[in-house]
Amino acid sequence: MLGGQASGAATALRLVLGKRLQDLREAAGLSFEEAARALDVTHATIRRMEKAQVGLKVPYVEKLLRIYGLTEQDEVDRFLVLVREANQPGWWHRYRDVLPDWFSAFVSLESEADQIRAYEPHYVPGLLQTEEYATAVLRAGMPHAPDTEIERLVALRLTRQELLDRDRPPLLWIVLDETVLRRPIGPPTVLRTQIDRLIEATDRPRVRLQVMPFSAGLHPAMYGPFHLFRFPLPELPDVACAESLVGAHYFDQRDDVSAFREALDRMCAQAAPVRRTEALLSEIRKEI
C-alpha cells in the first residue's frame, strides 16, 4: 500500500519507515547502542533515523534489516524501494537556502496532512496570511535579515497556501486568540486586509476558524502555540508540533499527542463557536 504513495508524501513515508525500523529493532531486543555499533555510527544516528530527522541511507537500512532478522529478500527489497521513494525531495526543497531544518519538517508534515488543527495566540497562521501581513511578521521576527531573505520566505509562505486549493484540501481548524486580531501589524490597512482574508476563509468548506475571546478567561493552552497533524496513511501516528523562538519540538508518542489534542478539544468547546466567527471578525474589523 505504501509503495503507491506519491513522492510528495516523502517525509510522512520516512516517518512510517522510521517507526518500522524502531519496531524491528525493539522486536530484535537491540538497544540504540547495539544497532549503532553494527553500522559504526553513533546511537544518536539510529535515533534520528527512527524519528525521520535524517534521510534514510539505503546501505544503512539494508544492513539494519538483516541485523533485525529480516531474511526474506523480497521483503527487504520492498522496504528499500520505499526508502528510495522517501528520500525524494519535496517541492519546498527549492527554498532550502532560507528554510531551517526544523521548519522543513513542519512544511512537509503540513503538505502531507489531511487534517491540521492549531492554536495560535500571537499571529495569523501562515496558511491564511496575506502577503503584506506575512512580510510584517517575518520582518519583526528577523530584524537583521536582508530583504532578499524576507522576500524568499514570503514566497515560501504563499506557496504553502496552495494546498488549500487542492481538489481535496486538508481540514484546517484553527483557534485564534483574540489578541491576534487586535495586535497592530504595521499600518491599520494591513490588519484590516488580513481580517478580510480570514472572513473569506470562513466560506471555505474545509476551513474552520474559532476565536478565543478575552472574556473566556484562562484556557488549557496558555503556554503557547501548537499544531496537530493527522495523515491519510493509517500507519502514521498523529504528530504534534510546539514552536519556540529557535525551533520546534515534534511529538508522536500517543500520550504526548493526546495531551495536545485534549487541550485543543477543550479550547474548541470554550471558544466562540464556528458559526459566530464571521460576525466576530467583522465586529473587530470595524474597531480597527
Side-chain angles (χ1 to χ4, degrees):
M1 179 185 66
L2 292 175
Q5 296 298 320
S7 61
T11 297
L13 181 53
R14 194 158 65 238
L15 283 166
V16 172
L17 296 176
K19 184 64 169 61
R20 286 188 176 181
L21 287 173
Q22 178 184 347
D23 292 342
L24 288 168
R25 176 181 58 77
E26 292 175 348
L30 296 176
S31 66
F32 288 116
E33 290 76 10
E34 289 169 328
R37 281 196 294 271
L39 296 184
D40 195 23
V41 297
T42 67
H43 65 86
T45 298
I46 302 298
R47 292 178 184 271
R48 286 152 61 187
M49 289 173 65
E50 292 181 2
K51 294 296 184 183
Q53 295 171 342
V54 294
L56 296 173
K57 296 182 179 180
V58 172
Y60 281 7
V61 172
E62 184 171 13
K63 190 169 185 179
L64 287 176
L65 293 177
R66 303 294 187 190
I67 294 167
Y68 295 162
L70 263 69
T71 57
E72 293 293 332
Q73 188 61 45
D74 287 348
E75 190 173 0
V76 171
D77 289 344
R78 285 197 299 272
F79 200 107
L80 296 180
V81 166
L82 296 178
V83 169
R84 293 184 179 93
E85 183 178 336
N87 286 332
Q88 295 300 312
W91 63 263
W92 52 92
H93 186 67
R94 65 180 183 269
Y95 292 98
R96 62 189 180 277
D97 56 317
V98 295
L99 192 61
D101 288 343
W102 72 267
F103 196 61
S104 177
F106 183 95
V107 174
S108 63
L109 293 172
E110 178 183 78
S111 298
E112 296 147 17
D114 65 357
Q115 183 183 113
I116 303 169
R117 299 179 65 192
Y119 166 62
E120 182 50 67
H122 301 309
Y123 52 81
V124 172
L127 291 178
L128 297 174
Q129 290 179 6
T130 65
E131 182 174 355
E132 294 77 13
Y133 186 97
T135 301
V137 168
L138 287 164
R139 174 55 67 195
M142 305 174 64
H144 305 297
D147 289 344
T148 52
E149 183 175 356
I150 297 296
E151 290 167 3
R152 290 279 288 159
L153 287 168
V154 170
L156 167 63
R157 191 156 296 187
L158 298 179
T159 304
R160 286 167 52 204
Q161 296 177 4
E162 294 176 4
L163 70 84
L164 298 179
D165 295 319
R166 292 176 182 168
D167 291 339
R168 174 66 178 177
L171 172 65
L172 181 65
W173 190 345
I174 307 294
V175 177
L176 289 174
D177 195 279
E178 185 176 345
T179 305
V180 173
L181 306 171
R182 296 192 180 277
R183 176 175 287 115
I185 303 288
T189 54
V190 174
L191 189 53
R192 290 194 197 106
T193 304
Q194 178 61 70
I195 291 178
D196 287 340
R197 170 69 63 83
L198 294 176
I199 292 172
E200 293 171 3
T202 62
D203 289 332
R204 290 178 175 264
R206 299 281 290 173
V207 173
R208 298 177 188 173
L209 296 178
Q210 290 183 262
V211 176
M212 180 67 75
F214 295 143
S215 59
L218 300 178
H219 57 73
M222 298 294 292
Y223 48 81
F226 63 90
H227 281 70
L228 282 173
F229 301 99
R230 177 164 289 178
F231 307 93
L233 296 172
E235 297 90 342
L236 187 63
D238 292 355
V239 176
C241 173
E243 296 183 45
S244 68
L245 184 63
V246 293
H249 296 283
Y250 296 89
F251 306 87
D252 63 357
Q253 295 301 308
R254 181 174 299 177
D255 288 347
D256 293 334
V257 175
S258 293
F260 284 100
R261 186 185 301 110
E262 180 180 351
L264 197 48
D265 287 344
R266 290 178 178 273
M267 292 174 65
C268 288
Q270 190 174 349
V274 172
R275 65 179 181 275
R276 283 276 296 139
T277 299
E278 183 176 354
L280 283 172
L281 292 173
S282 297
E283 290 169 11
I284 293 172
R285 189 192 187 284
K286 291 176 183 176
E287 299 172 13
I288 298 172

